[in-house]
Amino acid sequence: MERECEVYQLDTFIVFGVILGITIVFLIFYYYATYQRNQKIKAQILSEYGELPKWTLDGRDYNSIKRYYEQNPLVEPEIDDITWSDLNMDAIFKRMKNTQSSIGDEYSYRFFRMQHNDDLEYFENAVQAMHQNAEVRQQLQFAFHRIGRKTNNGLIDLLLKPEDFPKAPMLFIAFITFIDIASLVWLGFDINYGILAVTLCFCVAIILFSVVLRKISKAMITLGMFTRTVRAAKLIIKLDLPEFKRETDLMKKNLQVFKNITSLVDYIIQVSGSANSLMMIITAYFGLYGFAYNAMVSMFHKYRGEALELYKCIGYIELCISTASYRKSLKYYCRPSFCDKNVVEFEEIIHPLLKNPVSNSHGIGNKILITGSNASGKSTFARTLAVNVILGQLFNTCIAKSYTFRQCEVYTSMNLKDDIISGDSFYVAEVKSLKRLLEVAGKEGYPMLFLDEIFKGTNMVERIAAASIILKQFSEVDCFICLSTHDVELSQILGNRYENYHFQEIVTNDDICFDYTLHEGVTTGSNAIKLLAYCNYDKEIVLNSEMYADRYRITGKWESL
């Protein structure tokens, strides 16, 4: 009997020893793999700073990034959809974005849709501090990277509408957990029946875990992201950066209500969403996933305002780092100079998306017409002015040696299309868009309006007539307006109200060359027919077109063909 007892104790010792040994080996490999992965991430973060971002996301990812903006609309004024599309702001956003988490992505997109940054000086100090303090910047970026980036992560939905999150069957989970613990106790007294009981309880626990996880899996991923957000916030508080005093104070205040989100809960949430993990098995067996999930969702019901403030603080800091990275990637930039005069002055200004841009330097008034031939650069120049105003007012960053303008809101009507869904023709879309600009110009504030080829969807006579009257009305309003057009007649009609500028080209028998430089006065050239020859149209078509146009210029009438 005594020997049987010794054998039983030895068997029990061996079983627990094997379990303990497997756990220790697993932990060693887990932490080593984690260390190697972290080193790789840190090296990647360091190499990407100040470089051209590599956009690897698809359309579904990009729609997910817009979620915060769509769920939490801006108070006007904002960059409206027409202006956003006309200026290709999607591409500019992708060019500037160097964030590490979904929070940074989503916050940055919403920030991009604003017309003004309310505190440029505070923002500037933060951006400069992030550029100068590489060690702190990399610590923050690594913490933000750990928050994670996931399409349709649901975090902003949780923060704004926690009541929509699924509920876990807590009574059933608690009952099964009690049975599981009892089976382990039984194992200590009777190894034979104890192993059977533990095995059966394990099967039930895994089945329950699978069923519940199928219901709350997306929510668990979201909660895991938030617990890592809390960890990043704790790091920021620990660093106590004076350039982010506002964010640090807010996080100190709002973290008080989330002090029960410990590292253990963070880990439970993460392993519950993983696969092939020993820790996942332990989490499932003891029902830890259910208790953690229920506690955190309850917290969000009560403290969603505080959670949203943490989200915004993290997003803002990521935006500052992203801006610092963007500046480092530029050959040159300047901070805008704001004035109260109706002038715009710029030195070596360029468009941020052009690979080989030609810079322009000039001083202009606030009512200008730009004429020029096709592809001469007049529309690109208008977009250059508009985009740099937006970047200057939001990020205190203009792609120029200097840029002086009056603070404003930017609106455009430059790249309209037929709207099949609403049934609007191109001309109707133009009419509606211009009416929108007239309404904007009639409100308080100082708008900068950029237009391209007014009423090109109708005949010349009505186009010139309507455009002239509308431009006359704009000239009487306190606004900046820039129209790029082929219609030199507008320059003659409105010469006393608008300054005239043009872009020009040099046409030879073999080529057409553009200098992409702004010149004073009205254009005297036209290259539409020359472009036919350049694109290898039949010589007879080109020659007959030139002769036909010449006869119209002489007689003022079109001959019947």
Side-chain angles (χ1 to χ4, degrees):
M1 182 72 179
E2 192 174 317
R3 178 164 179 79
E4 287 181 2
C5 183
E6 291 176 357
V7 171
Y8 173 77
Q9 290 176 349
L10 180 61
D11 289 344
T12 303
F13 178 77
I14 291 172
V15 169
F16 281 105
V18 170
I19 293 174
L20 179 62
I22 292 173
T23 303
I24 292 173
V25 171
F26 170 80
L27 288 174
I28 290 172
F29 277 103
Y30 173 80
Y31 284 112
Y32 177 76
T34 300
Y35 172 78
Q36 292 293 327
R37 183 172 64 253
N38 290 345
Q39 293 302 111
K40 185 177 180 180
I41 291 170
K42 289 176 181 178
Q44 180 181 338
I45 289 171
L46 180 61
S47 67
E48 289 177 349
Y49 181 79
E51 299 295 325
L52 184 69
K54 296 178 181 178
W55 185 265
T56 58
L57 306 180
D58 58 21
R60 184 168 166 266
D61 299 322
Y62 195 43
N63 288 334
S64 176
I65 288 173
K66 300 175 184 178
R67 190 75 174 161
Y68 177 41
Y69 167 70
E70 294 169 347
Q71 290 288 328
N72 191 21
L74 290 164
V75 178
E76 291 186 0
E78 65 174 328
I79 301 175
D80 64 23
D81 291 339
I82 293 176
T83 303
W84 184 269
S85 176
D86 284 347
L87 299 180
N88 201 7
M89 292 300 294
D90 284 326
I92 292 171
F93 171 76
K94 294 172 184 178
R95 168 65 181 87
M96 290 184 65
K97 190 186 80 67
N98 184 13
T99 48
Q100 302 296 323
S101 72
S102 289
I103 294 177
D105 296 342
E106 295 162 5
Y107 182 91
S108 295
Y109 181 85
R110 186 176 184 272
F111 191 90
F112 257 85
R113 296 303 297 250
M114 296 164 57
Q115 290 273 9
H116 296 281
N117 183 340
D118 292 334
D119 196 343
L120 275 179
E121 183 178 354
Y122 182 88
F123 180 83
E124 179 64 30
N125 291 336
V127 171
Q128 288 195 25
M130 288 297 94
H131 177 63
Q132 293 166 2
N133 197 335
E135 183 179 353
V136 169
R137 182 185 71 237
Q138 289 161 26
Q139 278 185 275
L140 291 173
Q141 285 184 289
F142 180 69
F144 299 150
H145 189 281
R146 293 189 66 186
I147 292 173
R149 174 181 284 126
K150 186 171 180 62
T151 300
N152 296 325
N153 57 78
L155 180 56
I156 195 61
D157 301 276
L158 172 65
L159 301 185
L160 296 175
K161 297 180 180 179
E163 62 275 8
D164 291 345
F165 263 57
K167 295 178 174 59
M170 288 311 302
L171 287 177
F172 193 55
I173 291 174
F175 174 74
I176 296 299
T177 300
F178 174 78
I179 298 298
D180 291 343
I181 294 173
S183 70
L184 286 176
V185 175
W186 192 358
L187 180 64
F189 292 97
D190 187 339
I191 191 168
N192 294 321
Y193 287 103
I195 289 176
L196 178 62
V198 169
T199 303
L200 290 174
C201 288
F202 172 75
C203 292
V204 173
I206 290 297
I207 291 172
L208 177 62
F209 174 73
S210 300
V211 171
V212 175
L213 191 62
R214 190 177 297 114
K215 180 181 180 181
I216 67 171
S217 59
K218 184 177 178 181
M220 293 290 277
I221 293 171
T222 300
L223 292 174
M225 184 174 287
F226 183 76
T227 57
R228 295 189 294 276
T229 300
V230 169
R231 178 173 290 175
K234 289 178 179 178
L235 172 64
I236 295 166
I237 291 172
K238 182 179 178 181
L239 291 172
D240 195 21
L241 302 170
E243 296 80 14
F244 293 112
K245 185 180 186 306
R246 182 176 62 197
E247 287 68 36
T248 302
D249 290 346
L250 277 171
M251 285 188 283
K252 282 180 181 178
K253 175 184 175 182
N254 294 312
L255 269 181
Q256 293 299 315
V257 299
F258 296 106
K259 59 185 177 182
N260 292 325
I261 298 180
T262 63
S263 298
L264 176 60
V265 175
D266 180 13
Y267 191 69
I268 291 170
I269 294 290
Q270 291 183 61
V271 297
S272 297
S274 65
N276 300 320
S277 167
L278 179 62
M279 289 303 171
M280 182 198 73
I281 293 173
I282 295 172
T283 301
Y285 190 82
F286 291 103
L288 299 176
Y289 61 93
F291 296 107
Y293 175 79
N294 187 64
M296 292 184 68
V297 171
S298 298
M299 258 190 265
F300 281 112
H301 274 281
K302 190 173 182 179
Y303 302 115
R304 62 181 174 182
E306 289 83 350
L308 186 59
E309 284 299 324
L310 290 179
Y311 176 99
K312 290 191 285 189
C313 288
I314 294 292
Y316 182 82
I317 295 173
E318 278 217 72
L319 177 71
C320 291
I321 295 174
S322 180
T323 303
S325 176
Y326 175 65
R327 285 181 174 182
K328 188 174 185 295
S329 72
L330 300 171
K331 291 182 178 179
Y332 62 83
Y333 72 91
C334 72
R335 281 175 262 169
S337 298
F338 300 118
C339 68
D340 296 326
K341 299 178 181 179
N342 292 329
V343 295
V344 176
E345 297 174 339
F346 44 90
E347 180 184 359
E348 296 191 33
I349 195 168
I350 59 174
H351 195 286
L353 296 180
L354 297 180
K355 292 182 178 179
N356 299 298
V358 175
S359 64
N360 271 282
S361 302
H362 220 289
I364 58 178
N366 70 338
K367 305 287 189 297
I368 66 170
L369 298 178
I370 305 176
T371 51
S373 304
N374 297 288
S376 60
K378 56 187 183 297
S379 298
T380 299
F381 172 75
R383 288 183 171 90
T384 299
L385 294 182
V387 166
N388 276 286
V389 166
I390 291 172
L391 297 185
Q393 294 189 142
L394 283 181
F395 304 101
N396 212 29
T397 305
C398 301
I399 323 303
K401 294 292 180 68
S402 67
Y403 195 18
T404 302
F405 55 90
R406 186 174 163 186
Q407 287 186 295
C408 60
E409 289 81 46
V410 175
Y411 297 91
T412 67
S413 180
M414 302 182 75
N415 191 29
L416 301 172
K417 300 176 182 177
D418 293 342
D419 191 334
I420 296 175
I421 296 176
S422 67
D424 288 346
S425 67
F426 178 81
Y427 178 70
V428 172
E430 281 190 296
V431 169
K432 290 182 177 180
S433 181
L434 278 172
K435 185 173 185 294
R436 147 184 158 269
L437 296 188
L438 284 168
E439 291 172 350
V440 165
K443 296 179 181 178
E444 291 185 6
Y446 181 75
M448 285 189 84
L449 311 177
F450 296 86
L451 301 87
D452 186 43
E453 303 294 354
I454 289 186
F455 297 136
K456 60 184 177 183
T458 190
N459 65 79
M460 184 181 71
V461 173
E462 292 184 291
R463 178 174 71 248
I464 299 297
S468 299
I469 299 303
I470 289 175
L471 288 170
K472 175 179 177 294
Q473 184 168 336
F474 277 126
S475 72
E476 297 168 351
V477 176
D478 186 23
C479 70
F480 173 95
I481 181 166
C482 170
L483 169 66
S484 54
T485 180
H486 288 97
D487 294 325
V488 294
E489 295 88 350
L490 293 175
S491 297
Q492 299 165 1
I493 296 169
L494 300 163
N496 294 327
R497 295 175 178 269
Y498 285 78
E499 297 176 10
N500 282 291
Y501 297 91
H502 72 276
F503 284 81
Q504 62 188 28
E505 73 287 330
I506 300 173
V507 181
T508 66
N509 292 331
D510 301 320
D511 202 358
I512 301 176
C513 299
F514 302 99
D515 63 7
Y516 302 114
T517 301
L518 185 69
H519 301 275
E520 294 184 2
V522 184
T523 184
T524 58
S526 178
N527 68 359
I529 297 176
K530 291 291 184 183
L531 280 172
L532 299 181
Y534 182 66
C535 293
N536 297 317
Y537 269 61
D538 185 277
K539 291 182 179 180
E540 186 175 349
I541 292 177
V542 176
L543 180 60
N544 289 337
S545 298
E546 289 177 338
M547 293 172 60
Y548 195 46
D550 288 340
R551 288 197 295 272
Y552 171 79
R553 294 189 186 101
I554 295 171
T555 64
K557 296 180 180 179
W558 291 109
E559 297 178 1
S560 180
L561 295 176

